[in-house]
Amino acid sequence: MTVEFSFNGKKMTAGEGQSVAGALLACGQEELSRSSKYRRPRGVYCAHGHCPNCLVRVDGVPHVRSCLVPAGPGMRVETEGSAGKRFDVYRSLGVIGKFFPVGFQYRWFKRQNAAWRLWENQLRKLAAETEIPAPFDIPAGERLRADLLVVGAGPAGIAAAATAARSGLRVVLAGRRPRLGGSAAPAVASADLLQATEFVRSAENVTVVAPGTVVAGFGDQYVIDRGDRALEVTATASVLATGAYERAVAFPGNDRPGVLLTSGLHRLVCEDGVLTGARAVLVAEDDTAYRLAVDLQRAGLRIQAIVDSRPGPAVALPEGIEVLTGARVTGVRGRRRITGVAIGQRTIACDVVGMSGGWQRADELRYTVTSVGDAVVHGERATRIDPAGWENAPLPVLQGVGAVAGTMDADAAFTEGSLAGAWAAAQHTGGGNHG
Ligand code: FES
């Protein structure tokens, strides 16, 4: 089934459940926004709600992340700021920008009062990328009480929620994206994960808030941004299963539409079903590209090559894919669209580029919790579960499991999550160590 929506007044179609960003890409719309200063075009970058690249206006609501929102019938999608203008004089900054070193406005103008006052106004205009909508009533926040809040709906989060719920706990499971399961594609997810996902979806004692981003924690209270309203959850215990962010690789042109994180490329191809048949080059600084290349090939993306800056990867090479080791990308070819990547004198033709520069724990919520009064203790206790000795560990209030605790393997994360769920259940029934 397809749905029709509009983009800047033009009719577009989307597949069922496809994100707005995925649907736009399928219709050939790569540029979604522009950078504030040099007005450089921006396209989907992470496909996971972690960057400003895909911000658009949806039905008059500004700054909506189009990679997180499923396209709906009759939806009115518009670009914001410079991306929505036919002519923007500031785009010339992108051409003459090389004459202005990074941060020049602060170093130079800040020292000169009159010039700064003039420039400050311009900066404000440059940064104001969208019109503020007309005043509207802010919907009242909802409140919920739970025995356990699980933040993150990847393998670790789902396992924690399912295990705790099976023991009778009232669980709130919050995930940033509408789809549960994290980056584990349904095709390769383990039977345990699929079963647990099904269980949390249907269990009466589990409230799934997805999409729902936990934006702050105050002791045992957490605030979830649901997009159109806030939800305040008071939970006796919480499990942090927020995963990790993939890092970019530094090379000239890595910010252009069509160059994105390999995990984002994986989401677009394997979940949104776009870019099938396109040619891709994966730029690697860790083993992620090798792991995802097999999935991507299977889903229909044609991997031209993996360009790895390391002397040799520590994993088995995917069959039939050229791997260039000890090589670096020196540029991206193509004026309007990407047509290839340059590696020294050689150019490899492609339509899209994936980058894997390693992973960084998504643990900022932990620091939010630690910033509030007595909750400092909670943050310090946000430790990785030791599967052998968790019963004897001091009782943590905020447990970190899965990729946020450094466990990148989905099956191992699932096991950690199950242990955290069991810990929460034991605590609730008084069976755990309350020391
Ligand atoms: S938040 Fe949508 S592409 Fe990064």
Side-chain angles (χ1 to χ4, degrees):
M1 198 184 88
T2 56
V3 294
E4 278 192 358
F5 68 102
S6 72
F7 176 70
N8 288 345
K10 273 190 276 175
K11 245 191 210 167
M12 299 273 175
T13 53
E16 200 180 354
Q18 206 171 36
S19 69
V20 169
L24 289 173
L25 202 54
C27 296
Q29 181 64 40
E30 283 194 346
E31 181 187 319
L32 299 175
S33 64
R34 292 218 167 216
S35 66
S36 296
K37 187 170 162 189
Y38 294 122
R39 305 312 216 205
R40 288 172 66 87
R42 298 282 185 249
V44 176
Y45 168 73
C46 69
H48 197 46
H50 293 312
C51 75
N53 278 23
C54 70
L55 291 177
V56 291
R57 204 174 175 93
V58 175
D59 293 335
V61 178
H63 286 1
V64 175
R65 286 193 160 94
S66 54
C67 68
L68 294 184
V69 179
M75 208 176 232
R76 187 164 44 88
V77 180
E78 293 156 302
T79 41
E80 300 181 295
S82 178
K85 290 181 190 160
R86 267 177 182 274
F87 177 74
D88 176 10
V89 69
Y90 291 115
R91 285 190 197 167
S92 58
L93 282 173
V95 181
I96 58 172
K98 53 180 172 253
F99 300 113
F100 301 107
V102 173
F104 78 95
Q105 67 270 42
Y106 303 109
R107 287 196 218 107
W108 192 77
F109 284 101
K110 199 68 178 148
R111 275 184 244 132
Q112 325 203 11
N113 280 341
W116 171 248
R117 273 197 291 278
L118 272 177
W119 183 239
E120 190 180 23
N121 267 335
Q122 295 307 308
L123 278 180
R124 282 180 196 278
K125 277 188 203 154
L126 281 167
E129 286 282 69
T130 194
E131 279 170 36
I132 303 293
F136 57 92
D137 288 336
I138 297 173
E142 294 166 36
R143 289 204 163 84
L144 258 183
R145 274 195 169 275
D147 302 315
L148 176 69
L149 168 68
V150 180
V151 189
I158 286 177
T163 308
R166 283 187 178 119
S167 301
L169 266 61
R170 290 168 304 154
V171 179
V172 172
L173 172 67
R176 188 185 284 265
R177 304 173 63 227
R179 184 184 160 275
L180 304 184
S183 51
V188 294
S190 68
D192 286 346
L193 175 58
L194 292 176
Q195 212 178 47
T197 307
E198 214 35 61
F199 175 75
V200 295
R201 269 208 197 101
S202 56
E204 279 184 2
N205 54 338
V206 182
T207 306
V208 177
V209 187
T213 306
V214 180
V215 289
F218 307 93
D220 59 354
Q221 289 179 314
Y222 290 83
V223 180
I224 305 180
D225 173 6
R226 303 192 67 169
D228 58 349
R229 65 191 60 215
L231 174 65
E232 187 187 305
V233 178
T234 306
T236 317
S238 18
V239 167
L240 190 66
T242 39
Y245 304 121
E246 192 168 28
R247 286 193 294 265
V249 178
F251 56 83
N254 72 347
D255 63 337
R256 292 185 52 181
V259 181
L260 60 163
L261 298 177
T262 307
S263 54
L265 185 59
H266 185 265
R267 282 182 202 106
L268 287 173
V269 175
C270 298
E271 294 176 27
D272 277 340
V274 295
L275 292 170
T276 47
R279 299 162 305 167
V281 167
L282 304 184
V283 185
E285 281 184 350
D286 79 343
D287 296 339
T288 306
Y290 298 89
R291 195 165 39 82
L292 298 185
V294 179
D295 259 10
L296 289 167
Q297 287 253 85
R298 207 182 287 142
L301 193 72
R302 287 151 54 202
I303 313 278
Q304 303 292 89
I306 297 178
V307 182
D308 196 328
S309 56
R310 300 171 299 172
V315 292
L317 304 181
E319 236 173 81
I321 298 177
E322 184 186 3
V323 177
L324 283 81
T325 53
R328 287 189 182 277
V329 171
T330 49
V332 176
R333 300 277 183 252
R335 265 179 69 78
R336 289 191 174 274
R337 284 173 183 266
I338 285 173
T339 57
V341 291
I343 296 119
Q345 297 301 310
R346 181 178 170 192
T347 296
I348 304 176
C350 67
D351 311 300
V352 65
V353 181
M355 307 179 273
S356 315
W359 294 85
Q360 186 170 326
R361 298 174 193 200
D363 59 355
E364 57 271 32
L365 184 64
R366 177 184 159 186
Y367 298 103
T368 314
V369 175
T370 58
S371 68
V372 185
D374 65 348
V376 168
V377 180
H378 303 173
E380 284 175 355
R381 289 178 184 176
T383 52
R384 182 178 174 167
I385 289 179
D386 172 4
W390 67 274
E391 287 159 296
N392 298 321
L395 183 66
V397 173
L398 183 69
Q399 283 276 22
V401 288
V404 73
T407 305
M408 296 304 292
D409 176 74
D411 291 338
F414 187 87
T415 307
E416 279 192 5
S418 304
L419 286 166
W423 155 78
Q427 180 196 0
H428 189 69
T429 54
N433 180 350
H434 289 243

